Amino acid sequence: MADWRMKRQILRTASFLLMLVGLLTVYIVYLSAWEADDLAANPLNMRSAAARADIRRGSILDARGRVLAQTRQDGSRSYPMGAAMAAVTGYNGEKIGSAGVEGHANRELLGLSENLSRIGPISQLFQSDQGNDVKLTIEADAQQAAYDGLDGRRGAVVVLDAATGAVLAMVSSPSYDPNDIESNWKLLSKQADGALLNRAVQGLYPPGSTIKPMIADAALTNAATDERETFDCTGSLDVGGGQTIRESHGEVHGSVDLRKALTESCNVTFGTLGMRLGDEKLKKAFERFGFDREIGGDIVMTRSHLPSFGTLGSGDQAQTAIGQSSLLVTPMHMALLAAAYANGGIIMKPYLVQQVITPGGTVIHETVPQKWLTATTPEMAARLDSYMEDVVTKGTGKAAQVSGIRVTGKTGTAENAAGKDHAWFIGSAELRNRRIVFAVIVENGGGGGTQAAPIARKVILSLQN
């Protein structure tokens, strides 16, 4: 009897231990299969940190192979273009971590593949002491031209290849020099909206009149107007509730059709169209162009702040249609809006990393361009593209003209409650072998035609060859 009791206790204990082993096995499989990537990339992973200390970090290159970041003999990082390229390269420091491409492509720069990172300490047997090079889509000349164009003023410039989504330039100002960022870290990190903020993808601004091509698109698509209708611009528009919308600088445009209204940036016309469209159709227009979503991939962009559609009065509808009210967008997204009209209605997903190259010169990753969304029809895109060409040839964007190159655009002067108006310019340029699109904002710059459009011209000139 005693033997049977003992055997039963042993059986119970063994069953309990087997259950624990089973649970542990399931947990290990869960960590290995579902959590491996997050654990491998976690900055608190001391095994990974120890392994990385012995790896010479790869270089970051521009589209033509120019070095944007490399490792010095002492193991620290060098950034030849300094502050001009900081919004792209970011930084990498022992005490401050990493940002920009240094952060996003950290694993590639260290030569740590996802498969190797999952097999634990054994991975060190296969790990090279030299990381991979990361080749970007950025063109250094365009980046420098955009940075010089801002000339230290607060603002941002984004330039994309319309057909592929490749980011050709991404500038934020004020900037910082990543070569000595660790010594200046305390000062920089205390500036909430200072140099560490990448205004190109994190800055939120009212778009002003640069949103008007999309409103024209929405109005034509929803039959809220047609190309034959004329609007009588007396300089102000009564939007109800004792509120009026006025033209910039007290202008009176007179009788204008939709094309001329966009060319001359008539607030009365677009305020009227905003009220005709109403909340639901305005909302659908913003959704069509992706203003309600994030991009993903290697572009970490702040989502737009949209008005509370469904609760807007006629005044806010009119204000939204001229890029004001509570509407806030990033320069990157406004470049994507320009891309829709330059690329037949299709917006390509923007990307920065073009290739990952081993120390031996083998390309182990090459980004394939992807469509992000279809925003409008080819016919509508061609029509609005034609309107935007008039803005540059006949209207407020003449300062962006470049001899021999077809340039389109839309200026914007966005009211700013905290100070002087922001200056905007978005558009495109047909170069010899590609079409580029851009968005330029100069904070508190005043007029988009006088302050932002000339910067776009500098960028176009830098890329025309």
Side-chain angles (χ1 to χ4, degrees):
M1 194 73 170
D3 288 344
W4 169 244
R5 288 179 179 173
M6 183 176 294
K7 288 178 180 179
R8 188 167 58 183
Q9 291 295 331
I10 292 173
L11 183 61
R12 287 177 177 173
T13 303
S15 299
F16 179 71
L17 291 174
L18 285 172
M19 183 179 69
L20 289 178
V21 170
L23 290 173
L24 182 60
T25 301
V26 170
Y27 185 61
I28 290 173
V29 170
Y30 167 75
L31 291 177
S32 300
W34 282 277
E35 297 292 323
D37 291 343
D38 290 340
L39 292 172
N42 194 303
L44 299 178
N45 186 334
M46 298 308 294
R47 174 178 59 77
S48 296
R52 293 169 188 174
D54 297 325
I55 300 172
R56 184 177 177 83
R57 197 173 181 83
S59 297
I60 299 174
L61 313 172
D62 87 336
R64 299 185 180 183
R66 180 174 174 177
V67 175
L68 306 180
Q70 60 188 347
T71 301
R72 300 186 181 99
Q73 290 299 318
D74 64 359
S76 62
R77 294 290 270 177
S78 169
Y79 302 90
M81 290 188 66
M85 195 63 72
V88 175
T89 60
Y91 52 81
N92 182 71
E94 184 178 345
K95 298 178 180 178
I96 61 175
S98 56
V101 173
E102 290 277 31
H104 173 77
N106 183 54
R107 187 177 292 174
E108 289 79 4
L109 290 165
L110 291 167
L112 297 169
S113 72
E114 290 187 17
N115 292 333
L116 281 179
S117 67
R118 295 184 180 193
I119 61 178
I122 299 176
S123 65
Q124 296 182 37
L125 297 175
F126 305 96
Q127 176 64 52
S128 169
D129 61 358
Q130 173 67 47
N132 300 318
D133 291 340
V134 172
K135 187 175 184 180
L136 305 182
T137 57
I138 292 291
E139 300 203 8
D141 290 342
Q143 183 82 6
Q144 190 68 56
Y147 184 75
D148 292 344
L150 284 171
D151 194 25
R153 293 172 292 178
R154 289 175 177 261
V157 180
V158 176
V159 186
L160 309 173
D161 185 313
T164 66
V167 181
L168 307 179
M170 184 172 68
V171 171
S172 178
S173 177
S175 187
Y176 59 89
D177 187 348
N179 288 292
D180 58 8
I181 188 170
E182 286 198 275
S183 61
N184 294 319
W185 181 253
K186 286 186 177 180
L187 177 62
L188 290 170
S189 60
K190 291 178 181 178
Q191 301 170 352
D193 62 345
L196 293 179
L197 176 70
N198 185 348
R199 286 167 161 77
V201 291
Q202 296 172 325
L204 286 172
Y205 307 92
S209 294
T210 58
I211 205 66
K212 288 176 179 175
M214 190 193 80
I215 300 301
D217 181 326
L220 290 169
T221 299
N222 290 283
T225 189
D226 57 39
E227 291 189 290
R228 297 183 301 276
E229 182 181 8
T230 58
F231 300 83
D232 184 22
C233 175
T234 61
S236 66
L237 173 67
D238 183 354
V239 296
Q243 295 180 310
T244 58
I245 286 179
R246 300 187 180 280
E247 297 295 341
S248 178
H249 306 298
E251 293 178 277
V252 176
H253 299 290
S255 180
V256 295
D257 60 11
L258 189 59
R259 175 185 286 270
K260 190 173 181 181
L262 187 73
T263 302
E264 298 185 5
S265 203
C266 175
N267 285 341
V268 168
T269 299
F270 286 92
T272 300
L273 293 177
M275 291 189 289
R276 286 184 188 176
L277 287 167
D279 282 25
E280 189 59 31
K281 291 174 181 177
L282 283 170
K283 179 182 178 183
K284 287 182 178 178
F286 281 98
E287 289 174 348
R288 266 201 292 137
F289 286 82
F291 284 98
D292 62 331
R293 67 183 74 180
E294 298 173 351
I295 296 173
D298 53 9
I299 305 294
V300 182
M301 182 181 73
T302 301
R303 186 179 297 185
S304 304
H305 183 277
L306 300 179
S308 299
F309 293 115
T311 66
L312 303 184
S314 58
D316 279 328
Q317 292 166 356
Q319 289 283 356
T320 298
I322 63 170
Q324 298 291 162
S325 185
S326 58
L327 176 63
L328 298 172
V329 298
T330 64
M332 173 63 77
H333 213 134
M334 295 311 292
L336 295 175
L337 174 63
Y341 296 117
N343 195 44
I346 295 173
I347 303 178
M348 300 298 288
K349 184 176 181 178
Y351 66 98
L352 274 167
V353 176
Q354 183 178 166
Q355 294 178 332
V356 178
I357 308 168
T358 68
T362 301
V363 176
I364 58 174
H365 168 77
E366 186 153 13
T367 300
V368 177
Q370 301 176 46
K371 183 176 82 171
W372 187 44
L373 51 82
T374 299
T376 192
T377 65
E379 295 77 17
M380 188 64 72
R383 184 180 299 178
L384 268 297
D385 183 63
S386 173
Y387 287 8
M388 292 171 72
E389 182 179 11
D390 283 358
V391 172
V392 176
T393 58
K394 305 174 184 178
T396 56
K398 291 179 181 178
Q401 292 178 0
V402 178
S403 178
I405 294 177
R406 180 176 181 267
V407 180
T408 76
K410 184 66 194 81
T411 58
T413 304
E415 293 180 4
N416 169 34
K420 195 176 178 182
D421 296 343
H422 299 319
W424 276 100
F425 187 68
I426 69 169
S428 70
E430 293 184 13
L431 304 182
R432 184 169 53 188
N433 58 350
R434 60 183 168 175
R435 191 163 187 186
I436 65 166
V437 293
F438 45 77
V440 179
I441 184 169
V442 181
E443 291 184 22
N444 313 121
T450 58
Q451 300 301 316
I455 299 174
R457 184 177 187 276
K458 286 179 181 289
V459 172
I460 295 167
L461 288 170
S462 74
L463 289 167
Q464 67 176 340
N465 297 320

